[in-house]
């Protein structure tokens, strides 16, 4: 995928010059559907996303909601007062890893788990639960079953290794997902008012630190790849765009992140997902209306002779970008070393443009490879006004069956059959919070952080629980989108 002619003209006009090769690639990735939501953002803006319990709404790495005090937990949300909410927060994030899971179902789904967990961490939250909603082509197709088994194995492996329980989700099979499965993973985290972090850079002069695994060449162009139509040979041709995760490094990163938050060392944070370092660092400073100066050759690397573009856009997993006060850089290094993680001081927050320089293979001294306005890069993509057409009403096939035969047909269908084969592969009790396990209509997670904050004299009031569920009905939403969505 390359930058479209229209987008190229916009970029050239804004820069008043031809963009560098690195700038072209950066705009291609950050202006892709995957990052910019060019088609869906105008529609999603119609949602009501404000309320007394909403601390951080859409636009950050995860949403943040305040839990009600135990005394108010049974009061319907619409009837609560602002002071019914306490200082215990939960974060909610959900994202898809569709194309990578088609090309490499195990690694694609596994890194989907890792990415949404890091989104949770970047809000200053500790991950406490995972859910997955999975959609594949017809169950009678061998390809669908292959993808199904690989995706479940990848989610199970990564979630079990990092010690975060997978407590709920859904699985559905529908012909509309042939060649394009949907692999959605949600993560819930817990934090509080004092520990909350956002992805908004604070002030010029602060340092930008890269903490976690070393950077390699895996996942190059993953954001633009996620916005493409897949070709028949995608399983071989697009494999380099799929990242390979290391859940044990992620577990160390989770604990390191907690230690950094404990000591109040993080001013803002963003995980390295789509578009790698370029995406995370530019979005971080753009949210604060600021810029940055980054020296790409200072990034710790695991492969030799990486060029500027590879360092900038690689989507190597298990990495976080932190804004840190200059006097705290050494302490962050110490904590990263304690958890056997790399740490690079890659640059600083500025009040100018987003600038990346590089002194390495293929250069004659230090060169400026990116020099753009951060807000234009992160938020300048024009939105799409999509044409809409009402879906045709499908012909209904109503065979003449006896009631007993019809019943057998329904309960034997893969969409209604038991999903025990899936959730028994997940560790859903690690962390000892799972009060209601998978297999029921919803899981329930114990939020012990709220215990003891009530003024009630009722000895049975020990805190609140969080009920979690996710899923949809593809057949319903495909033929009647409005009513199907209401049912979801």
């Amino acid at each position: 995928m390359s930058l479209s002619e229209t987008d190229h003209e916009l970029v050239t006009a804004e820069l008043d010059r031809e963009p560098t090769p690195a700038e072209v690639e950066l705009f291609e990735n950050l202006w892709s559907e995957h990052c910019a939501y060019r088609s869906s953002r105008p529609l999603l803006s119609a949602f009501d996303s404000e309320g007394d319990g909403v601390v951080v709404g859409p636009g950050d790495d995860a949403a943040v909601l305040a839990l009600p005090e135990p005394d108010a937990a049974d009061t319907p949300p619409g009837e609560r007062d602002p002071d019914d909410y306490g200082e215990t927060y939960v974060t909610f994030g959900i994202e898809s890893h569709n194309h990578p899971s088609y090309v490499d179902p195990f690694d694609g789904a596994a890194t989907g788990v890792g990415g949404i967990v890091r989104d949770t961490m970047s809000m200053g939250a500790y991950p406490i639960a995972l859910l997955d909603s999975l959609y594949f082509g017809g169950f009678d197709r061998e390809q669908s079953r292959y993808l199904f088994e690989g995706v479940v194995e990848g989610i199970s492996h990564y979630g079990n290794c990092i010690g975060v329980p997978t407590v709920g989700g859904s699985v559905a099979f529908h012909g509309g997902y042939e060649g394009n499965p949907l692999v959605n993973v949600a993560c819930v985290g817990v934090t509080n008012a004092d520990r909350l972090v956002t992805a908004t850079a604070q002030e010029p002069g602060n340092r930008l630190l890269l903490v976690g695994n070393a950077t390699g060449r895996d996942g190059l162009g993953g954001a633009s790849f996620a916005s493409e139509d897949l070709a028949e040979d995608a399983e071989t041709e697009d494999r380099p765009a799929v990242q390979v995760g290391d859940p044990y490094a992620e577990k160390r990163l989770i604990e390191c992140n907690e230690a950094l938050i404990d000591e109040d060392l993080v001013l803002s944070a963003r995980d390295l997902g789509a578009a790698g370092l370029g995406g995370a660092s530019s979005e971080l400073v753009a949210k604060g209306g600021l810029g940055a100066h980054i020296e790409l050759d200072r990034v710790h690397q695991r492969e030799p002779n990486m060029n500027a573009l590879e360092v900038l856009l690689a989507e190597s997993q298990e990495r976080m970008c932190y804004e840190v006060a200059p006097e705290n850089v050494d302490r962050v290094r110490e904590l990263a070393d304690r958890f056997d993680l790399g740490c690079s001081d890659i640059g600083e927050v500025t009040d100018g443009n987003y600038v990346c320089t590089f002194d390495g293979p293929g250069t004659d001294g230090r060169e400026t490879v990116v020099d753009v306005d951060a807000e234009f890069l992160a938020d300048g993509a024009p939105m799409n006004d999509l044409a809409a057409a009402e879906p045709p009403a499908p012909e209904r096939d109503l065979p003449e069956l006896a009631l007993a035969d019809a019943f057998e047909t329904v309960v034997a269908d893969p969409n209604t059959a038991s999903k025990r084969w899936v959730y028994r592969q997940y560790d859903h009790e690690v962390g000892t919070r799972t009060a209601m396990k998978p297999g029921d209509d919803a899981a329930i997670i114990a939020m012990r952080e709220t215990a003891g904050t009530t003024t009630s004299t009722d000895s049975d009031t020990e805190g609140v629980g969080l009920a979690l569920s996710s899923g949809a009905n593809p057949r319903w939403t495909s033929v009647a989108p409005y009513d199907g969505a209401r049912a979801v």
Side-chain angles (χ1 to χ4, degrees):
M1 185 176 181
S2 59
L3 195 63
S4 70
E5 183 177 346
T6 303
D7 287 350
H8 187 276
E9 291 175 356
L10 285 173
V11 171
T12 302
E14 173 70 19
L15 301 180
D16 197 24
R17 59 173 172 80
E18 278 293 318
T20 68
E23 289 168 344
V24 169
E25 295 290 336
L26 203 51
F27 276 103
E28 174 193 325
N29 279 268
L30 287 176
W31 283 20
S32 67
E33 188 69 44
H34 185 73
C35 289
Y37 303 101
R38 299 174 66 158
S39 299
S40 56
R41 186 183 292 184
L43 302 174
L44 298 176
S45 63
F47 289 154
D48 183 0
S49 56
E50 298 180 353
D52 292 335
V54 179
V55 180
V56 177
D60 219 305
D61 277 347
V64 182
L65 302 181
L67 289 178
E69 297 281 13
D71 282 344
D74 291 332
T75 305
E79 299 176 16
R80 293 180 190 146
D81 297 322
D83 56 5
D84 285 335
Y85 295 91
E87 293 193 351
T88 299
Y89 297 163
V90 287
T91 63
F92 287 91
I94 183 168
E95 68 179 16
S96 63
H97 230 223
N98 307 329
H99 284 20
S101 298
Y102 176 79
V103 174
D104 182 348
F106 179 90
D107 286 314
T111 49
V113 174
I116 198 63
V117 166
R118 291 192 303 278
D119 283 341
T120 301
M121 293 159 51
S122 69
M123 306 302 295
Y126 194 87
I128 60 172
L130 295 165
L131 302 94
D132 56 89
S133 295
L134 313 175
Y135 304 91
F136 304 95
F139 190 73
D140 58 341
R141 291 175 58 91
E142 182 179 354
Q143 170 79 349
S144 299
R145 296 194 299 274
Y146 158 74
L147 294 172
F148 174 41
E149 292 175 1
V151 163
V152 170
E153 185 181 2
I155 291 172
S156 171
H157 172 73
Y158 206 99
N160 291 355
C161 287
I162 62 175
V164 180
T166 301
V167 299
S170 61
V171 179
F173 300 90
H174 184 277
Y177 300 105
E178 303 288 359
N180 188 33
L182 301 190
V183 177
N184 304 304
V185 182
C187 184
V188 179
V190 61
T191 185
N192 58 46
D194 294 332
R195 298 170 65 84
L196 180 64
V197 175
T198 68
T200 303
Q202 301 297 301
E203 62 180 64
N206 289 332
R207 304 303 298 176
L208 293 174
L209 271 59
L210 183 61
V211 175
N213 261 349
T215 298
R217 292 185 171 92
D218 51 324
L220 283 168
S224 58
F225 156 67
S227 304
E228 291 180 339
D229 291 329
L230 290 177
E232 291 185 3
D233 58 357
E235 291 180 75
T236 54
E237 291 298 313
D238 292 319
R239 190 167 293 272
V242 179
Q243 312 91 337
V244 178
D246 178 354
Y248 300 107
E250 180 102 343
K251 177 59 176 175
R252 299 197 307 274
L253 189 58
I254 291 171
E255 301 307 327
C256 180
N257 191 72
E258 276 293 285
L260 295 172
I261 300 297
D262 283 341
E263 297 190 21
D264 199 24
L265 298 173
V266 178
L267 298 175
S268 66
R270 192 121 205 177
D271 85 295
L272 271 70
L277 175 60
S281 58
S282 63
E283 291 171 346
L284 186 79
V285 296
K287 275 184 163 291
L290 298 167
H293 180 211
I294 294 174
E295 297 181 26
L296 297 173
D297 45 286
R298 301 180 68 168
V299 170
H300 54 289
Q301 303 165 30
R302 70 167 183 264
E303 296 186 39
N305 300 319
M306 291 184 68
N307 61 39
L309 193 57
E310 291 169 333
V311 175
L312 186 66
L313 290 176
E315 295 183 11
S316 302
Q317 296 292 284
E318 294 85 38
R319 300 181 298 161
M320 299 287 290
C321 182
Y322 296 116
E323 179 190 11
V324 175
E327 63 271 19
N328 291 328
V329 170
D330 288 342
R331 180 56 181 161
V332 174
R333 288 186 188 278
E334 291 174 5
L335 289 172
D337 187 60
R338 177 196 296 179
F339 291 96
D340 195 25
L341 297 167
C343 179
S344 300
D345 182 350
I346 59 173
E348 68 176 348
V349 179
T350 70
D351 56 8
N353 272 358
Y354 176 73
V355 178
C356 298
T357 64
F358 184 69
D359 183 4
T363 65
D364 184 15
R366 182 162 299 280
E367 295 181 356
T368 297
V369 294
V370 176
D371 186 353
V372 299
D373 178 79
E375 290 187 77
F376 179 69
L377 175 61
D379 297 313
M383 297 295 104
N384 296 331
D385 184 11
L386 297 181
E390 185 174 349
E395 295 183 6
R396 301 184 67 189
D397 181 13
L398 299 176
E400 295 183 5
L401 290 175
L403 180 59
D405 292 336
F407 177 80
E408 290 284 348
T409 300
V410 170
V411 297
D413 188 282
N415 288 317
T416 51
S418 169
K419 303 304 187 293
R420 186 175 181 274
W421 179 87
V422 177
Y423 61 74
R424 71 182 178 85
Q425 299 186 52
Y426 303 146
D427 186 341
H428 44 259
E429 295 184 68
V430 61
T432 67
R433 290 179 181 268
T434 314
M436 183 72 76
K437 302 172 186 177
D440 216 310
D441 286 339
I444 297 180
I445 300 296
M447 301 305 301
R448 301 189 188 90
E449 292 78 4
T450 61
T453 61
T454 179
T455 57
S456 171
T457 57
D458 184 350
S459 60
D460 291 334
T461 304
E462 297 179 346
V464 302
L466 194 61
L468 304 170
S469 178
S470 69
N473 187 325
R475 291 179 180 172
W476 198 342
T477 52
S478 66
V479 298
Y482 183 87
D483 294 321
R486 289 183 66 208
V488 174

